[in-house]
């Protein structure tokens, strides 16, 4: 399989995944390309791993449907099989249907709570004592696709958003790798609206579930 990345920001989680792919953490998976919806630091990840890259200027006033069509052609040109998103745009039906059950999105809350953008500050302003993140399959809803992996971190009284984000990022690194392993190795299937991962540990914390691939833990220990 070949994985592509859709990015809107710094691309830190994408860098983690791209490095893991390059180090053969996921048997048979290779990096394909990167698409960004603006000029952003994630483009440096494409240069770092010599990935073909496409930057689409969604703020230019161009027809967004034409931009998404260009994105799809680019992904097809590079024989993409699955997508990992840290992307601040809703995907159209054409893209979702081109990669059924193969699009993973990283969201900054324990879904179904705090959907949409600004999830972390919304959760903190609500006074949560645990803050989490979710990797889910993308469908036609807004952050409503089947949940693949979730992770949590405790929130202390008076803790600043930057500190919480840093703690959560360390958990998200684990989440992304386990989710990519589940999809790329064919461990994931749907039972109704529930995503079920075969051979995975559903008693794990702070990330649940965890894939049985031992290379993931070895790789994380090297970071």
């Amino acid at each position: 399989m070949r994985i592509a990345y859709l990015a809107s920001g710094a691309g830190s989680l994408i860098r983690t995944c791209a490095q893991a792919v390059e180090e053969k953490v996921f048997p048979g998976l290779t990096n394909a390309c990167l698409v960004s919806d603006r000029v952003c630091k994630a483009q440096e990840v494409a240069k770092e791993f010599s990935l073909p890259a496409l930057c689409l200027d969604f703020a230019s006033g161009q027809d967004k449907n034409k931009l998404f069509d260009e994105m799809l052609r680019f992904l097809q040109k590079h024989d993409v099989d699955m997508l990992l998103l840290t992307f601040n745009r809703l995907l159209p039906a054409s893209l979702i249907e081109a990669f059924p059950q193969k699009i993973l999105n990283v969201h900054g809350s324990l879904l179904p709570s705090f959907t949409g953008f600004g999830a972390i500050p919304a959760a903190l302003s609500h006074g949560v004592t645990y803050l989490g993140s979710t990797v889910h399959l993308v469908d036609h809803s807004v952050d409503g696709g089947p949940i693949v992996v979730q992770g949590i971190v405790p929130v202390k009284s008076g803790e600043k958003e930057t500190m919480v984000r840093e703690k959560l990022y360390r958990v998200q690194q684990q989440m992304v790798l386990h989710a990519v392993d589940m999809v790329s190795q064919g461990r994931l299937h749907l039972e109704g609206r529930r995503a079920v991962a075969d051979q995975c540990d559903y008693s794990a914390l702070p990330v649940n579930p965890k894939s049985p691939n031992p290379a993931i833990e070895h790789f994380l220990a090297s970071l």
Side-chain angles (χ1 to χ4, degrees):
M1 295 185 71
R2 290 170 58 77
I3 185 170
Y5 306 99
L6 271 57
S8 296
S12 300
L13 291 173
I14 288 172
R15 176 178 283 104
T16 297
C17 187
Q19 182 180 342
V21 171
E22 191 160 276
E23 294 186 18
K24 310 299 183 185
V25 170
F26 316 106
L29 186 64
T30 56
N31 290 314
C33 57
L34 181 144
V35 180
S36 61
D37 68 342
R38 67 197 71 188
V39 175
C40 59
K41 288 186 177 180
Q43 293 168 314
E44 298 174 7
V45 178
K47 294 179 181 178
E48 183 178 341
F49 293 95
S50 301
L51 299 180
L54 174 67
C55 181
L56 297 171
D57 187 1
F58 277 82
S60 65
Q62 298 180 66
D63 185 332
K64 68 177 183 179
N65 291 322
K66 291 183 178 179
L67 292 174
F68 277 123
D69 287 344
E70 183 179 353
M71 180 188 299
L72 180 56
R73 289 193 298 270
F74 181 77
L75 296 172
Q76 292 171 332
K77 174 184 176 182
H78 292 285
D79 299 319
V80 171
D81 298 295
M82 64 178 293
L83 305 176
L84 176 65
L85 276 57
T86 58
F87 197 61
N88 292 337
R89 297 192 180 273
L90 300 178
L91 297 185
S94 57
L95 265 164
I96 294 170
E97 291 164 7
F99 304 97
Q101 299 176 33
K102 296 292 189 297
I103 306 177
L104 293 169
N105 181 57
V106 184
H107 183 73
S109 80
L110 286 174
L111 293 173
S113 298
F114 307 108
T115 58
F117 303 120
I120 291 176
L124 291 174
S125 67
H126 198 75
V128 298
T129 56
Y130 278 89
L131 191 143
S133 184
T134 304
V135 179
H136 66 92
L137 293 173
V138 173
D139 62 11
H140 298 290
S141 65
V142 178
D143 296 327
I147 292 168
V148 178
V149 176
Q150 292 186 304
I152 57 172
V153 295
V155 179
K156 299 177 182 178
S157 177
E159 201 165 26
K160 295 187 181 299
E161 182 180 336
T162 53
M163 299 169 64
V164 175
R165 283 185 179 275
E166 178 61 25
K167 289 194 298 184
L168 189 60
Y169 168 68
R170 300 301 178 189
V171 170
Q172 288 175 320
Q173 285 182 300
Q174 301 176 54
M175 293 167 53
V176 163
L177 298 185
H178 286 290
V180 167
D181 187 77
M182 292 169 195
V183 172
S184 67
Q185 304 307 306
R187 303 187 196 278
L188 199 69
H189 64 276
L190 294 182
E191 294 181 358
R193 68 155 286 104
R194 182 179 174 87
V196 178
D198 297 331
Q199 305 171 43
C200 293
D201 180 5
Y202 275 87
S203 64
L205 284 174
V207 170
N208 196 323
K210 285 188 175 182
S211 183
N213 183 351
I216 293 175
E217 299 307 323
H218 291 303
F219 174 77
L220 287 167
S222 72
L223 296 179

